[in-house]
């Protein structure tokens, strides 16, 4: 597998100003030379320089495109192998023909993420860095892209390595006291306890950073719910700044749900507009209401709308109760009209849920609403601290944490050093799994399958 020379289009599918075909492996240059001919006859292809030339069709025996070729000799390349990049116009048919000819000349079509997989197999990057490369490419905000860039540079890997060395240090401290029990036992126990607490604290913070990581990577899903006719679709459209949903003064206008995303500052919010949760009138309402309840229950948060130009009803109270355990913001809509709703009663019913008065129609307080949404749903990033973006990483760090916490407990309860050491040592293979030092084929397959071909 690793001996093959691989080839793929590295630029996105579709038409573009420029398209790039990449090769990696020992035969990259000889294969590329069959397709690419320098414009100036007898030009030596020197390393790390773009050379102008033409693409040669060795089956049809003629030229078909202008191109630049750049040769990157190993070992200081993306994959640590010899690499070649051919850039020409971003025409899908031409690029595909280049790949086809490359394969005819001895290359193999690359699998998704195989260039990066090679960088990992050849030890240039670890799994944390490989994950970060894909994160950077698919980042939904600049903030997330910057976090991923730092991880590609190795910040998270270094942090993880420092946990490992602190744990090893701790183990040697414990082992020393097994071997020389006559040394000041009390003192060393205190020292052990301090060291372990320090590591626990840093790992805890890292685990906590996942809530920000998840928000940045996946965005926040908000369900706009409330009774029929309260102005859900009007709010949905106003936040999107376009007429996406149909609005009418008849209750029951929206039946199928609508889902669209907006960006607030550095984060993506996916808004769901849905049918009003009310007494069904039409047979289709029943299904729509059921769907609405489900969507609301699975969202990250709820915008519960009330029509404040009308008296509150039992249905409003039911809705508050139904979602009281979720992150929820009360929105008193239609404040441009004479107010009839008993806001304090509803607020009391909702206990700690924040609220805001808006007019979805006139746009009153919508900027404020965006600010509150960001504040409520996007956790803060601690200055200079790493953020983890993957559940895989979070779960493994949590396991590390568990074994350290258990070690700490055993230490405090006066268990023998052997027992404590055995518990703490469990953390080491977990760290190996995190960085990919311990290779789990399933995990690797899953990670690299998320990549595009050509990366
Ligand atoms: N005056 C005023 N009218 C509003 C406001 N928001 C919505 N409306 C009106 O209320 C009516 C219902 O609005 P929609 O956005 O369709 O309400 P909905 O909650 O989506 O209704 P359903 O889809 O039927 O559940 C329309 O006539 C809107 O113009 C507001 O802030 N002020
Ligand atoms: Mg609607």
């Amino acid at each position: 597998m690793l001996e093959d020379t691989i080839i793929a289009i590295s630029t996105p599918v579709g038409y573009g100003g420029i398209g790039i075909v990449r090769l990696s492996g020992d035969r990259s240059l000889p294969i590329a030379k069959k397709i690419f001919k320098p414009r100036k006859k007898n030009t030596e292809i020197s390393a790390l320089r773009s050379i102008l030339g033409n693409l040669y069709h060795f089956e049809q025996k003629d030229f078909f495109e202008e191109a630049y070729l750049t040769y990157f000799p190993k070992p200081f390349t993306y994959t640590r192998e010899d690499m070649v990049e051919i850039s020409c116009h971003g025409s899908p048919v031409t690029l595909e023909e280049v790949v086809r000819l490359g394969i005819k000349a001895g290359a193999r079509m690359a699998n998704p993420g195989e260039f990066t997989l090679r960088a990992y197999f050849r030890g240039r990057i670890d799994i944390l860095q490989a994950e970060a490369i894909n994160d950077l490419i698919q980042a939904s905000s600049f903030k997330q892209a910057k976090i991923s860039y730092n991880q590609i540079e190795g910040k998270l890997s270094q942090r993880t390595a420092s946990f490992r060395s602190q744990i090893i240090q701790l183990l040697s401290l414990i082992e020393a006291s097994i071997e020389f029990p006559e040394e000041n036992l009390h003192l060393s126990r205190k020292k052990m306890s301090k060291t372990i607490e320090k590591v626990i604290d840093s790992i805890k913070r890292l685990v906590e950073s996942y809530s920000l990581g998840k928000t940045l990577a996946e965005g926040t899903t908000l369900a706009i719910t409330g009774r029929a006719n309260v102005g859900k679709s009007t709010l949905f459209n106003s936040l999107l700044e376009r007429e996406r949903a149909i609005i009418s003064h008849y209750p029951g206008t929206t039946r199928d749900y609508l889902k669209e995303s907006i960006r607030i500052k550095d984060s993506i919010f996916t808004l769901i507009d849905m049918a009003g949760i009310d007494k069904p009138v039409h047979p289709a309402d029943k299904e729509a209401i059921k769907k609405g309840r489900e969507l609301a229950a699975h969202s990250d948060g709820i915008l519960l709308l009330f029509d404040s130009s009308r008296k509150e009803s039992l249905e409003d109270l039911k809705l508050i109760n139904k979602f009281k355990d979720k992150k929820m913001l009360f929105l008193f809509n239609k404040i441009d009209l004479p107010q009839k709703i008993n806001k304090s009663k509803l607020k009391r019913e909702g206990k700690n849920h924040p609220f805001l008065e808006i007019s979805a129609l006139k746009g009153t307080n919508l900027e404020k609403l965006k600010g509150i949404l960001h504040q409520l749903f996007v956790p803060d990033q601690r200055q200079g601290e790493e953020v983890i973006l993957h559940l895989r990483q979070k779960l493994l760090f949590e396991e590390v944490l568990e074994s350290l916490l258990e070690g700490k407990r055993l230490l405090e309860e006066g268990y023998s050093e052997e027992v404590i050491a055995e518990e703490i040592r469990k953390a080491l293979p977990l760290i190996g799994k995190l960085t990919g030092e311990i290779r789990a084929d399933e995990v690797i397959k899953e990670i690299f399958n998320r990549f595009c071909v050509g990366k």
Side-chain angles (χ1 to χ4, degrees):
M1 269 291 270
L2 224 51
E3 302 81 53
D4 297 348
T5 292
I6 51 172
I7 189 167
I9 304 171
S10 280
T11 37
V13 185
Y15 311 110
I18 298 175
I20 296 177
V21 172
R22 260 208 310 194
L23 291 121
S24 180
D26 277 344
R27 293 186 23 81
S28 293
L29 192 58
I31 291 169
K33 274 182 171 168
K34 292 202 173 140
I35 311 167
F36 176 90
K37 306 292 172 196
R39 176 133 322 163
K40 272 197 220 139
K41 288 238 152 54
N42 306 323
T43 306
E44 265 301 306
I45 293 182
S46 49
L48 304 175
R49 281 188 54 192
S50 290
I51 294 157
L52 180 63
N54 294 299
L55 297 180
Y56 181 67
H57 202 293
F58 53 75
E59 291 171 344
Q60 296 173 0
K61 309 253 183 290
D62 59 4
F63 290 95
F64 62 99
E65 166 66 316
E66 290 183 317
Y68 274 102
L69 178 144
T70 319
Y71 167 47
F72 304 89
K74 64 183 179 188
F76 300 111
T77 63
Y78 187 76
T79 53
R80 279 217 171 146
E81 302 171 342
D82 269 0
M83 292 184 83
V84 168
E85 277 183 22
I86 296 171
S87 38
C88 56
H89 295 108
S91 147
V93 285
T94 305
L95 291 166
E96 275 160 26
E97 192 62 9
V98 175
V99 170
R100 196 185 66 80
L101 291 172
I103 292 169
K104 265 271 149 91
R108 170 171 67 73
M109 184 73 207
N111 296 319
E114 196 173 356
F115 289 89
T116 311
L117 182 71
R118 290 185 168 203
Y120 162 63
F121 277 157
R122 300 206 182 272
R124 190 179 68 76
I125 55 170
D126 64 17
I127 281 288
L128 294 169
Q129 288 168 301
E131 279 175 313
I133 289 168
N134 204 30
D135 295 339
L136 179 101
I137 292 172
Q138 300 189 6
S140 56
S141 68
F142 186 56
K143 182 173 183 163
Q144 190 205 331
K146 262 173 36 189
I147 288 171
S148 301
Y149 159 74
N150 279 315
Q151 294 185 2
I152 294 172
E153 293 290 289
K155 288 262 167 63
L156 184 58
S157 310
Q158 285 156 18
R159 190 97 192 273
T160 311
S162 99
F163 293 146
R164 184 213 310 269
S165 59
Q166 287 175 66
I167 291 168
I168 289 173
Q169 227 176 5
L170 185 68
L171 284 169
S172 58
L173 205 68
I174 298 172
E175 264 138 32
S177 65
I178 297 174
E179 272 177 63
F180 312 103
E182 65 281 0
E183 305 268 307
N184 194 333
L185 192 78
H186 180 65
L187 193 78
S188 69
R189 284 236 160 191
K190 222 171 165 180
K191 201 169 162 194
M192 278 178 219
S193 170
K194 269 221 168 102
T195 319
I196 202 169
E197 264 166 35
K198 216 177 103 200
V199 195
I200 286 174
D201 275 356
S202 340
I203 298 182
K204 243 190 203 156
R205 283 212 300 278
L206 203 55
V207 168
E208 280 163 11
S209 77
Y210 177 67
S211 69
L212 172 63
K214 187 172 184 293
T215 310
L216 288 174
E218 293 172 18
T220 306
T221 307
L222 297 178
I224 304 178
T225 185
R227 298 182 52 210
N229 221 36
V230 293
K232 298 180 296 297
S233 301
T234 309
L235 177 66
F236 183 71
N237 286 351
S238 296
L239 288 171
L240 293 178
E241 295 175 16
R242 65 193 168 97
E243 299 302 308
R244 173 71 178 84
I246 298 170
I247 293 167
S248 87
H249 62 271
Y250 295 103
T253 306
T254 311
R255 282 223 181 95
D256 283 328
Y257 69 92
L258 295 115
K259 212 170 176 179
E260 295 290 339
S261 294
I262 56 165
R263 177 188 297 274
I264 303 176
K265 289 185 200 165
D266 48 30
S267 305
I268 301 287
F269 286 80
T270 302
L271 306 172
I272 307 176
D273 179 26
M274 57 177 80
I277 301 187
D278 232 318
K279 287 191 201 81
V281 181
H282 189 277
D285 288 344
K286 235 179 157 172
E287 201 50 42
I289 291 167
K290 189 173 147 225
K291 187 80 203 163
R293 284 210 189 97
E294 267 171 37
L295 287 165
H298 289 109
S299 64
D300 298 314
I302 289 181
L303 303 183
L304 184 55
L305 252 73
F306 304 102
D307 180 346
S308 51
S309 70
R310 300 176 59 183
K311 276 187 80 67
E312 69 280 1
S313 74
L314 187 63
E315 296 297 323
D316 289 319
L317 296 172
K318 274 193 194 158
L319 281 173
I320 296 178
N321 245 314
K322 176 147 198 68
F323 300 121
K324 65 176 185 302
D325 296 329
K326 293 208 65 127
K327 249 187 180 174
M328 177 159 59
L329 177 64
F330 286 7
L331 294 173
F332 296 110
N333 189 31
K334 309 195 188 181
I335 54 157
D336 52 299
L337 297 175
Q339 303 289 283
K340 294 221 180 93
I341 207 165
N342 186 342
K343 287 175 197 152
S344 34
K345 182 177 168 193
L346 293 177
K347 282 183 211 165
R348 232 180 301 126
E349 199 70 29
K351 294 195 182 76
N352 301 322
H353 295 292
F355 60 90
L356 184 69
E357 300 184 351
I358 60 166
S359 167
L361 187 68
K362 309 267 180 215
T364 315
N365 275 347
L366 292 191
E367 279 311 306
K368 201 165 175 181
L369 170 61
K370 287 184 190 169
I372 292 175
L373 291 179
H374 195 275
Q375 215 175 2
L376 277 179
F377 291 99
V378 184
D380 282 334
Q381 183 182 8
R382 293 187 209 212
Q383 196 71 38
E385 284 207 356
E386 280 309 314
V387 175
I388 52 176
L389 297 165
H390 291 276
L391 186 62
R392 180 192 85 86
Q393 299 166 1
K394 180 192 175 232
L395 293 177
L396 282 168
F397 275 119
E398 268 174 352
E399 279 188 66
V400 173
L401 197 59
E402 264 167 43
S403 87
L404 294 178
L405 284 168
E406 182 60 11
K408 183 174 171 253
R409 186 185 70 83
L410 296 171
L411 185 71
E412 280 164 359
E413 290 181 6
Y415 279 80
S416 77
E417 276 81 0
E418 283 88 347
V419 175
I420 301 167
E422 195 185 307
E423 183 58 43
I424 293 176
R425 202 170 289 115
K426 285 185 193 159
L428 293 176
L430 295 169
I431 289 184
K433 278 190 196 163
L434 265 162
T435 59
E437 209 169 348
I438 297 177
R439 244 179 236 177
D441 288 344
E442 282 309 297
V443 178
I444 289 172
K445 214 164 132 191
E446 210 217 291
I447 290 173
F448 287 95
N449 273 342
R450 278 185 249 140
F451 278 69
C452 24
V453 176
K455 187 63 216 173

